[in-house]
Amino acid sequence: MTDWGAVIDATWPAAAVQQVCPWTLRGGAGGGNRVSAATANGPVRAQDISVAADAMRAAGQEALFMIRPGEEALDALLADAGYIKRDETLIRACPTAALTANPVPPVTAFTVWPPLAAQRDIWASGGIGPARLAIMDRVQGPKTTIFGRIDDRPAGTLFVAIHDGIAMLHALEITQDHRRKGLAQHLTRAAARWAQRQGADQFALLVTAANGGANALYAGLGLGEAGRYHYRAAPQESL
């Protein structure tokens, strides 16, 4: 069975990780939920929740927990303690080869590392700033970005990295003026082509369950649901 947590941690790593029994605590350095949430290493008691919460708040972060399949007991403990569910997220995956059969139009997608200033501008326009770009820099395994152009203009970008034969796409952003032109599909296929050249036989990405448009796109490409998780945060901290 695929260890999706390990794939996420390797391809979108936290700035710091520490083990505080029974938790893995992450220092996100402002990089968002995935690199900041605590995860359980085993059975959790009600009194263990405050241990993690206090440590996260002491580090200047919200008290945030990721709940994975099989952790229904932890989910119930957090719910009883008043923690609010948010951001249910799907892991979508398929064989890499399933995405590489159709060609990518010429002069549409370019493999680039490090990312260009134009890509950084596109990410910034979508709220992906320096803290998340720093996550990309931290990745130790094979990685790259795909830069997209359409109508002879910079129009999109994404990040992709590989762990244990699985490529995971992150931070796909298309400029507002160039959406609904097929560019997201082209960039995803281009990322899969790069991954295939690196020997990755599986391709995956993360998308919130509430993002109907993105889920329709990825389902249409053949990326089926391979897992899911959600977060719980204290009411005063939940967004």
Side-chain angles (χ1 to χ4, degrees):
M1 181 179 293
T2 301
D3 185 349
W4 289 112
V7 176
I8 295 169
D9 284 344
T11 62
W12 199 249
V17 178
Q18 62 174 321
Q19 305 299 322
V20 178
C21 188
W23 304 104
T24 295
L25 302 181
R26 294 171 178 81
N33 289 346
R34 265 176 268 156
V35 291
S36 303
T39 50
N41 298 326
V44 173
R45 303 165 301 171
Q47 57 265 40
D48 295 324
I49 293 172
S50 61
V51 172
D54 290 347
M56 285 185 275
R57 291 181 180 122
Q61 298 184 173
E62 68 172 331
L64 181 69
F65 298 85
M66 179 189 286
I67 312 300
R68 301 160 297 189
E71 296 182 330
E72 290 79 10
L74 172 59
D75 197 36
L77 282 177
L78 288 164
D80 289 345
Y83 283 75
I84 303 300
K85 181 178 179 179
R86 76 179 193 211
D87 293 345
E88 184 172 13
T89 301
L90 307 183
I91 303 168
R92 290 190 170 273
C94 70
T96 305
L99 293 168
T100 60
N102 294 334
V104 176
V107 201
T108 298
F110 304 87
T111 302
V112 179
W113 186 263
L116 304 171
Q119 293 173 272
R120 295 174 183 271
D121 289 343
I122 292 168
W123 274 316
S125 71
I128 300 171
R132 286 176 170 83
L133 297 181
I135 297 171
M136 303 177 196
D137 289 336
R138 288 197 292 268
V139 173
Q140 297 299 303
K143 62 183 178 182
T144 195
T145 69
I146 306 295
F147 176 40
R149 293 179 65 88
I150 201 165
D151 299 333
D152 200 30
R153 294 180 180 276
T157 186
L158 62 77
F159 176 78
V160 58
I162 297 173
H163 174 73
D164 197 23
I166 301 173
M168 183 161 274
L169 180 157
H170 299 276
L172 172 62
E173 185 66 31
I174 307 297
T175 60
Q176 190 69 41
D177 292 343
H178 293 97
R179 294 177 183 174
R180 302 185 182 279
K181 296 181 179 181
L183 185 59
Q185 175 178 317
H186 296 325
L187 296 190
T188 301
R189 292 191 185 280
R193 287 174 174 269
W194 171 84
Q196 190 173 57
R197 293 194 297 272
Q198 308 305 311
D201 58 6
Q202 292 288 312
F203 191 89
L205 51 83
L206 306 171
V207 58
T208 59
N211 191 337
N215 277 292
L217 166 67
Y218 296 134
L221 287 171
L223 287 143
E225 184 180 335
R228 64 173 60 204
Y229 60 86
H230 62 271
Y231 299 97
R232 283 197 181 269
Q236 67 271 21
E237 296 166 319
S238 185
L239 301 178

